[in-house]
């Protein structure tokens, strides 16, 4: 049987990307009583890169505990977290439609960073990497932002947008990892999985 990993993420995009790369994965999602959102709290004056790596590590630790608690077969566990930042300002997932509109108005006509941290735990070791990309959006009219938010696509997304969706229509320039902006950087993910002993090709 081909090697498999546990994916501790509710993002369908991450699962889709792994399968596209030929990685067999089983979901390892939180129990109902686990407070996953608490792990994403931002500390005062925390730089975006430190934040995204810390949150990924916390999610990974929680997933490894979950694996042990459920007495599942051992396999590498992968976690990832994506954040959008303008300078030191961390832009997480919108809390409401109004919040999503404000975030997109802030991104309109400006360049921002997309940071995705990825980490794998296997046999007591942790392998981690960080992907940094930048995206420049063209000016977005308030009516365009309103229609985009009304589509529902921004909800649950860091920075209130999905680069693989309608938001691509405003992406004037992208530098870095397209898959990283989607939520799972191909190169960095391959590096940590191979370090954990998984054969990809």
């Amino acid at each position: 049987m081909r090697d498999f990993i546990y994916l501790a993420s509710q993002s369908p995009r991450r699962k889709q990307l792994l399968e596209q790369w030929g990685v067999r994965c089983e979901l390892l999602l939180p129990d109902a009583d686990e407070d996953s959102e608490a792990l994403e709290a931002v500390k005062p004056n925390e730089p975006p890169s430190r934040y995204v790596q810390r949150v990924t590590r916390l999610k990974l630790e929680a997933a490894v505990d979950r694996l042990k608690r459920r007495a599942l077969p051992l396999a590498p566990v992968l976690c990832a977290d994506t954040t959008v930042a303008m300078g030191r300002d961390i832009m997480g997932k919108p809390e409401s439609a109004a919040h999503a509109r404000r975030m997109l108005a802030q991104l309109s006509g400006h360049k921002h960073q997309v940071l995705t941290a990825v980490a794998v735990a296997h046999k007591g070791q942790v392998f981690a990497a960080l992907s940094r990309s930048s995206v420049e959006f063209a000016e977005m009219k308030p009516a365009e932002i309103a229609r985009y938010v009304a589509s529902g696509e921004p909800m649950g997304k860091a920075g209130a947008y999905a680069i693989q969706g309608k938001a691509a229509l405003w992406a004037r320039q992208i530098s870095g990892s397209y898959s990283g902006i989607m939520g799972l950087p191909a190169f960095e993910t391959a590096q940590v999985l191979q370090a954990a002993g998984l054969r990809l090709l």
Side-chain angles (χ1 to χ4, degrees), residues 69-139:
R69 192 168 63 245
R70 295 177 187 174
L72 294 168
L74 293 180
V77 179
L78 184 145
C79 274
D81 193 70
T82 300
T83 196
V84 167
M86 288 191 72
R88 291 176 66 93
D89 186 14
I90 294 170
M91 305 177 77
K93 298 167 186 171
E95 297 167 4
S96 64
H99 188 205
R101 289 193 295 271
R102 288 197 302 274
M103 290 169 78
L104 289 164
Q106 192 177 347
L107 296 175
S108 174
H110 294 96
K111 185 178 286 188
H112 61 270
Q113 266 201 318
V114 181
L115 302 163
T116 297
V118 57
V120 171
H122 190 45
K123 296 180 178 177
Q125 289 186 283
V126 173
F127 308 93
L130 177 66
S131 165
R132 296 174 182 267
S133 301
S134 67
V135 179
E136 183 183 350
F137 275 170
E139 293 282 349

